[in-house]
Amino acid sequence: MASRVLVAGSGVIGLRTAVELTRRQIPVVLRSPIHPLHPSNCSQGAGGLWMPFHCDDPRTERWALETMDEIYPMAADPKNSLVDLRYVLALKRNHEGPNTEDFVAEDYHKGTGGKSRLPLWSSDERFKFQNVTMEQVAWQNTIYKLKLPSLSKVQAAGYNHGWFFETPIVDSPKMMEELLREIKGEGSPNNNDVNVETGVYYQSISELIEEAKDLGCNRVVNCTGLGSVQVCQDKELVGARGCLLMYDRESCVRLPHPPAENPLLAPPPEELHDACIMVESAPWGSNEYPCYMIVRGDTIVVGGTYLEGDGEPSMRPQERERLLENARILGIDTDACQAKGEWVGFRPYRPTTRCEIDEEHSSHGIRLIHSYGSGGSGWTVYTGIAKETTSLTLQS
């Protein structure tokens, strides 16, 4: 039985795991070399949008929906400031949903076949998911009044279809502050020991185990993320480099739309609501260089890159120019307003997330559990992974 748990790492997975243990009355020792809000912490710089992204583990869907169960009520609560509900338009060149051939196939009706299946999460009614033409999006936008690229602009680029849905977006820095407060016992005292600015990076599993012994812990949860390349000598784990520009929502200036040929499909005369836009196909985007805009709290995040194995810590000039072009494409007047900041971070990508007990290195009454490698889906799966990690930690 877990009597005291050392949680190593203060990304969102480490923090939420420490919270889950705390809620189950298990004393936690939280250690990290850097504060959760340090610029090098990938979790605090992320867009925070709920949508599985570059996480290939078959457990992703379950973890993601468990996270959705936690954050959706928060987003629907008008008193909450940690999570918002936002409409998302993911631009597609082609219709990616089921077609006539799928509908008549026996295996499709059994849920096991079909050439072009939508993601399983799209059937959850909370997302109000639609796989539609861009004309249908334009018609609906006369009601929703969202800040979207004009119909003529997206069609000229070859995007004739889209996924249109509503999803939670976590204000990642604020949520990390809130999780840290709960771990520290602010407002509800506990027996946790928290030091998230040790300045010391773990170098090996044996070092983690020795630290646990010194701290009187009989469980260790390794949430060091990309640090596990060193700690575990994990050759499957790589950094997937991301670059972002950040704009202030209140002062961000939007480009005017060109006149529409069909007045009925013209943009609303008074666009009121910010929306998120995602593109992963040419000409605007690709898998390695997606083009996107995420509205996160008081910030508009423009991205991006997904470059596995690229270790450059600073933004390259050509990357900055490309992000500025993405901002212009998605409707920001970059001549009239400046980005308030830029960020480079490294998502911990692994072909399968490592969420498991390490029997090989569990000995002398100390059990080691690994929890890292969720790629670009950390904020989509964090609650589900934390709950599974906690269950593994509490096993007899």
Side-chain angles (χ1 to χ4, degrees):
M1 181 65 184
S3 59
R4 198 169 192 232
V5 180
L6 169 61
V7 177
S10 66
V12 64
I13 304 298
L15 293 180
R16 185 59 184 81
T17 300
V19 164
E20 189 68 22
L21 289 163
T22 300
R23 290 176 182 176
R24 300 198 196 187
Q25 308 301 311
I26 304 297
V28 170
V29 177
L30 179 63
R31 291 292 184 267
S32 173
I34 56 169
H35 192 275
L37 298 186
H38 189 277
S40 66
N41 190 324
C42 187
S43 295
Q44 67 84 29
L49 180 141
W50 190 105
M51 182 179 176
F53 178 75
H54 289 278
C55 187
D56 302 322
D57 194 292
R59 298 168 290 182
T60 296
E61 198 85 29
R62 171 168 56 84
W63 291 334
L65 290 176
E66 288 176 353
T67 304
M68 180 70 170
D69 290 340
E70 178 168 279
I71 63 177
Y72 185 83
M74 298 170 66
D77 181 358
K79 297 180 182 178
N80 154 76
S81 64
L82 299 174
V83 189
D84 288 329
L85 279 176
R86 293 278 170 201
Y87 279 99
V88 178
L89 175 61
L91 297 176
K92 307 288 182 179
R93 296 186 65 84
N94 302 303
H95 179 80
E96 294 190 359
N99 55 30
T100 302
E101 187 177 342
D102 293 317
F103 289 140
V104 299
E106 182 180 353
D107 59 351
Y108 178 81
H109 290 286
K110 293 178 179 178
T112 59
K115 293 190 305 180
S116 51
R117 300 176 66 196
L118 295 170
L120 291 175
W121 58 264
S122 66
S123 62
D124 190 311
E125 63 181 14
R126 292 173 292 187
F127 296 108
K128 306 174 187 174
F129 186 95
Q130 302 175 61
N131 185 30
V132 291
T133 66
M134 291 312 303
E135 286 89 351
Q136 290 171 307
V137 173
W139 276 105
Q140 292 186 64
N141 204 31
T142 62
I143 305 298
Y144 291 120
K145 295 181 168 55
L146 302 173
K147 296 177 181 177
L148 299 175
S150 68
L151 177 62
S152 60
K153 184 174 182 177
V154 297
Q155 288 184 326
Y159 302 110
N160 295 302
H161 298 270
W163 292 357
F164 188 49
F165 59 98
E166 190 177 43
T167 195
I169 298 177
V170 178
D171 190 334
S172 40
K174 290 178 69 174
M175 180 65 84
M176 294 182 78
E177 286 184 304
E178 182 62 28
L179 293 173
L180 185 59
R181 277 196 290 270
E182 184 171 348
I183 298 164
K184 288 181 174 180
E186 296 179 12
S188 180
N190 55 44
N191 294 317
N192 293 341
D193 175 359
V194 179
N195 185 348
V196 291
E197 295 181 275
T198 65
V200 177
Y201 290 83
Y202 294 109
Q203 299 298 308
S204 65
I205 287 177
S206 60
E207 193 174 313
L208 272 176
I209 299 296
E210 287 303 314
E211 178 95 325
K213 290 179 183 177
D214 293 344
L215 293 167
C217 300
N218 69 342
R219 299 287 189 275
V220 182
V221 180
N222 171 27
C223 299
T224 58
L226 204 54
S228 288
V229 171
Q230 173 64 39
V231 172
C232 302
Q233 297 297 298
D234 191 335
K235 299 187 185 311
E236 293 186 89
L237 181 65
V238 296
R241 184 169 171 272
C243 299
L244 305 173
L245 291 181
M246 292 169 283
Y247 289 85
D248 179 71
R249 270 184 72 194
E250 187 173 342
S251 61
C252 186
V253 180
R254 299 303 183 96
L255 291 166
H257 282 303
E261 292 183 9
N262 184 347
L264 294 176
L265 296 181
E270 201 174 302
E271 292 175 303
L272 298 177
H273 307 296
D274 286 311
C276 302
I277 305 161
M278 316 290 290
V279 193
E280 285 191 89
S281 58
W284 291 355
S286 67
N287 285 332
E288 289 191 332
Y289 295 95
C291 173
Y292 60 83
M293 172 187 289
I294 298 175
V295 183
R296 187 193 75 189
D298 62 1
T299 300
I300 295 176
V301 173
V302 175
T305 62
Y306 194 91
L307 303 174
E308 293 182 13
D310 184 344
E312 172 57 48
S314 302
M315 190 176 295
R316 301 179 178 102
Q318 63 269 31
E319 291 171 331
R320 186 177 297 107
E321 185 53 45
R322 188 179 182 280
L323 291 179
L324 288 169
E325 179 60 21
N326 286 354
R328 286 188 286 268
I329 287 172
L330 300 179
I332 293 176
D333 189 339
T334 57
D335 293 326
C337 62
Q338 302 294 315
K340 69 176 183 179
E342 60 185 41
W343 179 81
V344 175
F346 301 89
R347 309 169 182 93
Y349 174 75
R350 201 172 183 273
T352 57
T353 302
R354 195 171 187 194
C355 183
E356 62 188 20
I357 297 171
D358 186 337
E359 299 288 1
E360 179 184 352
H361 295 98
S362 296
S363 61
H364 304 293
I366 296 179
R367 172 178 289 166
L368 173 62
I369 300 92
H370 297 291
S371 187
Y372 64 84
S374 57
S377 292
W379 283 104
T380 299
V381 300
Y382 75 101
T383 297
I385 287 183
K387 288 179 179 291
E388 181 154 335
T389 301
T390 298
S391 295
L392 294 172
T393 305
L394 298 182
Q395 283 184 17
S396 301

